[in-house]
Amino acid sequence: MRVIIKDNSVDCSTWVAGYIAYSIKKAKPTAKKPFVLGLPTGSTPLGVYKELIKLYQNKKISFEHVVTFNMDEYIGLSPDDKNSYHYFMHENFFNYINISPKNIHILNGLTKDYAKECEDYENAIKAYGGIDLMLGGIGSDGHIAFNEPFSSFTSRTRIKTLAPSTIKDNSRFFDNDITKVPSQALTIGIGTIMDAKEVIIMATGENKAEAIRSTIEEPINHKCPASILQMHRYGIIICDEEAVKKLSSPTIQYFKDIENRI
């Protein structure tokens, strides 16, 4: 597991956007063999999307042969609902790049058949040969996507009931009213995430410090789903200084020393 510590969230976003652009260009994707990118929502990746849009506008990267799969979607919200992840992704990213609508995949929160929707999503990922690079954030309780604490490490795309802490954290997008936050969502599983060829997890802000400490310094534990990243062959956790405040000084120094040698 590679841990990168940057001064602030802006530096984290710039690095991640640059890495995604580098990975796409290195893959030399085509219509027959596109680059498959897993994407999150929330406040953490917003800076990444802004940087990727700039790179596209400056003709540094093309998304013509990029296929995306979003991590999750709330149950009960229509795609045009301002709090849906369909709406979020188009308003903050897809509307500003040259990605084909047919290459965008987001779970349908209005489906009448949750099991089929989730199975079809997994099959679609497999049909493209798997996800090349999965980008994600981490919840204050260590959840990744909507895989709450005690989720199975082998879980696949499915319906999940959200933990009270997640509902509280996400209420900032719903006028700070927890009663407006959907209690369930469709989410890719931890097993789905771990199947990706590369995984990048971003963490910025002091409110993520305990989750990062548990993820990096504690043994792998279902209580902190993100800790499974310790087992990923090409897992990267990128944090700002605020998010590593609860790591021990030797741990911080170790990872900084390693990065200074690269």
Side-chain angles (χ1 to χ4, degrees), residues 171-188:
S171 66
R172 67 188 187 277
F173 301 112
F174 293 81
D175 302 321
N176 292 309
D177 185 348
I178 61 173
T179 65
K180 294 181 180 179
V181 185
S183 61
Q184 293 184 310
L186 298 178
T187 181
I188 61 172

Side-chain angles (χ1 to χ4, degrees), residues 189-206:
I190 296 176
T192 315
I193 294 171
M194 292 295 287
D195 279 351
K197 297 176 182 70
E198 289 188 88
V199 178
I200 298 177
I201 296 297
M202 297 182 69
T204 58
E206 191 173 359

Side-chain angles (χ1 to χ4, degrees), residues 3-262:
V3 177
I4 300 170
I5 303 170
K6 296 292 185 181
D7 289 341
N8 51 57
S9 61
V10 174
D11 289 347
C12 289
S13 295
T14 301
W15 188 94
V16 172
Y19 190 84
I20 290 172
Y22 161 79
S23 299
I24 293 171
K25 288 188 284 188
K26 181 182 178 183
K28 298 179 180 179
T30 64
K32 290 186 177 180
K33 189 172 175 53
F35 187 87
V36 185
L37 183 61
L39 295 174
T41 54
S43 54
T44 302
L46 279 175
V48 175
Y49 296 147
K50 289 178 181 178
E51 288 297 319
L52 286 173
I53 291 168
K54 288 179 185 177
L55 290 172
Y56 165 69
Q57 292 173 337
N58 292 329
K59 303 184 186 304
K60 299 288 183 66
I61 186 66
S62 171
F63 295 90
E64 181 182 4
H65 299 310
V66 172
V67 169
T68 64
F69 284 89
N70 262 77
M71 283 185 154
D72 38 35
E73 179 59 287
Y74 288 116
I75 286 178
L77 298 189
S78 65
D80 58 355
D81 188 301
K82 291 186 177 181
N83 287 312
S84 74
Y85 290 158
H86 279 78
Y87 188 91
F88 177 98
M89 290 304 303
H90 284 84
E91 286 296 303
N92 291 292
F93 190 38
F94 295 145
N95 288 347
Y96 306 98
I97 59 173
N98 65 328
I99 190 168
S100 171
K102 68 180 177 61
N103 287 343
I104 296 171
H105 299 82
I106 307 176
L107 287 155
N108 178 13
L110 293 182
T111 181
K112 300 300 182 183
D113 190 335
Y114 301 129
K116 185 178 185 303
E117 175 70 13
C118 294
E119 183 179 2
D120 288 349
Y121 208 68
E122 287 283 335
N123 288 336
I125 292 172
K126 291 176 184 176
Y128 281 106
I131 292 173
D132 294 301
L133 175 59
M134 176 73 76
L135 174 63
I138 182 172
S140 59
D141 59 1
H143 74 255
I144 45 179
F146 273 134
N147 295 287
E148 302 285 23
F150 306 105
S151 292
S152 168
F153 286 150
T154 62
S155 57
R156 314 306 301 190
T157 302
R158 68 212 189 285
I159 185 172
K160 281 291 291 182
T161 298
L162 307 185
S165 60
T166 300
I167 291 175
K168 180 180 178 182
D169 287 346
N170 288 1
S171 66
R172 67 188 187 277
F173 301 112
F174 293 81
D175 302 321
N176 292 309
D177 185 348
I178 61 173
T179 65
K180 294 181 180 179
V181 185
S183 61
Q184 293 184 310
L186 298 178
T187 181
I188 61 172
I190 296 176
T192 315
I193 294 171
M194 292 295 287
D195 279 351
K197 297 176 182 70
E198 289 188 88
V199 178
I200 298 177
I201 296 297
M202 297 182 69
T204 58
E206 191 173 359
N207 66 316
K208 303 298 176 67
E210 179 58 32
I212 286 299
R213 187 197 67 78
S214 297
T215 296
I216 295 172
E217 291 189 327
E218 292 294 320
I220 296 170
N221 193 303
H222 288 80
K223 189 176 180 180
C224 179
S227 64
I228 193 63
L229 263 292
Q230 295 177 31
M231 294 296 292
H232 198 282
R233 187 176 181 184
Y234 295 110
I236 297 174
I237 297 178
I238 181 164
C239 320
D240 64 5
E241 290 285 353
E242 291 293 306
V244 299
K245 280 189 172 182
K246 293 191 177 182
L247 290 180
S248 66
S249 294
T251 297
I252 293 172
Q253 195 59 50
Y254 170 79
F255 285 115
K256 285 186 174 182
D257 286 345
I258 290 295
E259 288 303 311
N260 286 336
R261 296 179 186 180
I262 296 176

